[in-house]
Amino acid sequence: MSTINRQLRLKTRPEGLVQRENFDLVEQSLDELKDGEVQVRVLYISMDPTNRVWMRDIPQYMPPVAIGEVMRGLGIGRVVKSRSSRYSEGDLVQGITGWQDFLVFHDSAKGYVRLPADPGIPLPTLLGACGMSGVTAYYGMTDIAPVQAGETMVVSAAAGSVGSIAGQIGKIMGARVVGIAGGADKCRYLVDELGFDAAVDYKAEGWKQVLKEATPDGIHVNFENVGGEIMASVLSRMVIGGRVALCGLISGYNSDGRPGDNFGVIVMKRLIVRGFLILDYTKTKEAVHALAGWIREGKLKAEETVADGLENAPVVLNRLFDGSHKGKLLLKVASDV
C-alpha cells in the first residue's frame, strides 16, 4: 500500500494571528522513490517566529512561502526508506522538513544534516538548545555582541528558546544578566531555575522603573528579540558605546507596522547595533559542541514546550506571540520509529 502524506499548505496570507483557515490540510500518496531519493518520517517540527515572517508577502531573506505551497519549517525526522548511498534507514535527518508527515528529498539537496542514529541528546533538545535557537544565541553572544565578565546584559523574550540560552551564556561569561519576560511565573523561572540575576515583567505596571532599578550601572549589552517599546526602554538605559545584538523584532511580526525609530538614542549613546541571521554562520559544529558540553556539565539548562499534532501547527505557532510557552516551542508530529 502507498504511504499517505498529510501536508499543511498555505491557503491565504494571515492578517494578525495565524488561523487554521489560512491552511489546507491535504492528503497525498507518496510515489515510489527514485535513485538517490530519501523518505523521512517527520518527528518534530520547530515552531519559530520566522515561520510567521515567511507567510508574509514582503521582501525578506528567503522567498515568502507561495500560496498553495507546503508551509516551510525546520524539523527533525528518521529515514524510513532510502535509495541513496549517503543515507540509511534509521538515520536521523535535520533540516527544512516543512509542515508535513513525510519529507522526500534527493541526496544532492543542500541544507540537510545527517545525524547519528542515537545522538545521545533528546530530539527536542537537538532542535532547541543544540539546534537553530541555541546556535543563534551562541553566535549572538560570542561574535555579534560579546559580553565581558562584570558587565550588565539585558535579554528580551528571555524565557523563549533563543533568549533563555543567550542569558545563560551571559552568566557563563560572568556577566550580570537581566531578563525581560511576560508574567510573574516566567520571571521566577528566569531567576530561580536559569540563574538570571534579575527579571522584569513587562506586563506588570511600573516595569520600566523595575528595569531601571535592575540596571543601576546601565546596560552594556542588549540581546534584542522583541523591538518596539521594550527595545526603546532598554536602549535608553544603555551605556555610551554599548552593544546590541539585534536578533529579532517579534513585536511586529503579526502586523504591518514597523519598529519605532530609535536612531536618536543610538546616535547619542554611540551604540553599536548589529543585526544578524543564523544563515550567516556555517560553522555550526563549533556552537553545537560548546552548547552540548555546557548541557552535560550542568551549566546550561534546556527547556522545551512540546505540543502534539500536525493539524494543530497554525494554532500552536501563535503560542510564540501570546507567551504561553517556556523555552523552545516544538510540535510533535509522530513518535520515533
Side-chain angles (χ1 to χ4, degrees), residues 141 147 151-158 163 166-167 175-180 196 200 211 214-215 218-225 230 233-235 237-238 243 245:
M141 295 305 306
V147 67
E151 292 186 324
T152 295
M153 166 187 166
V154 169
V155 187
S156 59
R176 170 178 170 78
V177 178
V178 179
I180 301 177
F196 284 43
V200 178
L211 174 64
T215 57
I219 300 167
H220 301 86
V221 171
N222 173 31
F223 194 101
E224 186 57 51
N225 293 301
I230 289 177
S233 299
V234 172
L235 294 187
R237 297 288 306 150
M238 299 285 291
R243 291 97 68 198

Side-chain angles (χ1 to χ4, degrees), residues 86-268:
R86 300 180 186 179
Y87 296 87
S88 301
E89 291 184 15
D91 285 345
L92 282 173
V93 175
Q94 188 169 357
I96 296 180
T97 59
W99 288 8
Q100 56 186 343
D101 286 324
F102 291 91
L103 163 72
V104 176
F105 68 95
H106 194 275
D107 61 15
S108 62
K110 296 181 180 180
Y112 295 101
V113 178
R114 182 171 62 85
L115 303 172
D118 183 6
I121 294 176
L123 299 190
T125 304
L126 282 177
L127 275 180
C130 289
M132 185 181 72
S133 298
V135 173
T136 299
Y138 177 85
Y139 284 114
M141 295 305 306
T142 61
D143 184 50
I144 299 298
V147 67
Q148 306 298 320
E151 292 186 324
T152 295
M153 166 187 166
V154 169
V155 187
S156 59
S161 61
V162 177
S164 62
I165 302 300
Q168 290 182 82
I169 293 175
K171 289 300 299 178
I172 291 171
M173 300 299 181
R176 170 178 170 78
V177 178
V178 179
I180 301 177
D185 288 344
K186 286 188 176 181
C187 288
R188 282 191 292 268
Y189 163 72
L190 293 177
V191 175
D192 295 343
E193 296 190 38
L194 299 189
F196 284 43
D197 295 283
V200 178
D201 179 4
Y202 72 86
K203 293 183 178 180
E205 186 176 351
W207 68 269
K208 293 180 183 179
Q209 179 62 30
V210 176
L211 174 64
K212 182 178 179 180
E213 294 171 356
T215 57
D217 299 322
I219 300 167
H220 301 86
V221 171
N222 173 31
F223 194 101
E224 186 57 51
N225 293 301
V226 176
E229 185 180 13
I230 289 177
M231 180 178 178
S233 299
V234 172
L235 294 187
S236 72
R237 297 288 306 150
M238 299 285 291
V239 301
I240 292 176
R243 291 97 68 198
V244 179
L246 189 53
C247 180
L249 299 167
I250 193 172
S251 64
Y253 289 173
N254 282 309
S255 70
D256 293 328
R258 298 189 179 276
D261 184 353
N262 296 312
F263 293 149
V265 70
I266 292 171
V267 173
M268 286 187 292

